[in-house]
Amino acid sequence: MDTKVIKINEGQENMDMLVEAAGVLREGGLVVFPTETVYGLGANALNNNAVKGIFEAKGRPSDNPLIVHIHSIEQLESLTSDVNDIAKAAIKAFWPGPLTLIFNKKEEVSNLVTAGLNTVAVRMPKHNVALSLLRIANVPVAAPSANISGKPSPTQAIHVIQDLSGKVEYIIDGGSCDVGLESTVLDTTLTPPVILRPGGISLEQLQEVLGEVAIDPALAKRQVIGGITSDPSIEDNDITPRAPGMKYKHYSPEAEVTVVEGQTDKVIQFINNKINEYKNQNKKVGVLASTENIDFYKDAVVVSYGSKNNPELIAASLFDCLREFDNKKVDIVFAEAVGTEGIGFAIMNRMNKAAGYKIIKV
Ligand code: TXA
Ligand code: MG
């Protein structure tokens, strides 16, 4: 299939093109659109064939449910009749924005979208192009991140073009995504509400508005792994994450990734030792480092995710950095860990997943 790439900047929406893309989306086509988190691969959630197309284009396992994107609260009412006080408070504070809420679903919501679960994930994105597209199409839109399953999520149109050219009708290029990591997924059907995936809205922000907020045990356990190289198979068999998508290896470049945690000088020393070790084996080593540290690494492909003092920027650049290692064809990557406060929780969740939970504490 021919993929049309159209450039639409926020604030200068070219309505003719957007109307055309929205029509195709409504009639069952696949349309990639920018959001504030990552690019989404959209299909009309009311059209089962269109939804099937998402799973085919991404190579996504069919047991991994999709997030439904909406532009208005009226649309939410077509998906659930169960919006409790916690959910109402979360909507008031964070929608539109990078927060996905899980609700008990209405009968009519397709089992293909929810992968057979009796709950549905819903989000209202904070991006003018996305909201205009959703408004014009005027159907709920199922949209996972617009990457091939397993790869880092796309934060620029070029990432989508690499992954999905020829597999979708439209790619709307809206420039770089501001947040750069996916939305936080919060299950509001449980008391207290539970974070199933850390993301653009932090635990601290949720606690401030909602009071007590729990973390899916599968996630918390994974986040505190340390001490020694962890065995990913033990982690996976131990506790099943409540968000099906969280159990898959994900976000990975072709190269094997190892996360290194600890005091800065020790991290630098450890990674330099590894660079030498692998150089002797004729392996091309990549290092994912903060700008403060890049000059300490020699004889490696060093990619900087930004300053340790600006975690928001690290979040925004992480996926692009991971893809950069593929472009540079490195064999093995060592990544400097960051703190887990605020957005750091989500950054480290994605970095650890990219590493298949291979984490070394020095
Ligand atoms: O920021 C985002 O959320 C992006 C943009 C495009 O909106 N979308 C996104 O979708 O990241 P996706 O499909 O890549 O990730 C959705 C996650 C998966 O981990 C999935 O298992 C989980 O949400 N999920 C969806 N529906 C669920 C449900 N009913 N119960 C539990 N987890 C659910
Ligand atoms: Mg995804």
Side-chain angles (χ1 to χ4, degrees), residues 320-338:
D320 184 48
C321 291
L322 290 172
R323 281 178 182 259
E324 189 60 24
F325 289 116
D326 279 347
N327 298 338
K328 301 214 161 125
K329 303 215 175 334
V330 303
D331 299 304
I332 182 151
V333 174
F334 292 92
E336 294 179 350
V338 300

Side-chain angles (χ1 to χ4, degrees), residues 35 37-40 60 64-67 69 100 102 117 119-121 123 143-145 182-183 185 196-197 242-246:
T35 82
T37 58
V38 301
Y39 277 81
R60 183 179 177 102
N64 192 3
L66 304 171
I67 297 172
H69 294 65
T100 293
I102 307 282
L117 298 177
T119 53
V120 60
R123 158 167 139 77
S145 49
E182 302 88 338
S183 60
V185 178
L196 307 188
R197 175 178 75 178
R242 298 185 69 100
M246 297 303 280

Side-chain angles (χ1 to χ4, degrees), residues 25 27-30 42-57 66 110 112-113:
L25 181 59
E27 297 311 319
L30 298 179
N44 180 345
L46 307 175
N47 180 329
N48 273 339
N49 273 331
V51 173
K52 274 187 203 147
I54 289 181
F55 287 91
E56 277 162 27
L66 304 171
S110 164
L112 277 177
V113 172

Side-chain angles (χ1 to χ4, degrees), residues 8-55:
I8 303 183
N9 290 325
E10 239 185 323
Q12 353 172 304
E13 282 92 79
N14 178 330
M15 278 307 164
D16 288 349
M17 284 198 202
L18 210 53
V19 168
E20 201 178 300
V24 168
L25 181 59
R26 193 188 163 84
E27 297 311 319
L30 298 179
V31 175
V32 174
F33 58 97
T35 82
E36 80 281 31
T37 58
V38 301
Y39 277 81
L41 166 54
N44 180 345
L46 307 175
N47 180 329
N48 273 339
N49 273 331
V51 173
K52 274 187 203 147
I54 289 181
F55 287 91

Side-chain angles (χ1 to χ4, degrees), residues 58 60 144-145 147 153 182 197 250-251:
K58 272 186 69 98
R60 183 179 177 102
S145 49
N147 51 292
S153 299
E182 302 88 338
R197 175 178 75 178
H250 214 156
Y251 311 116

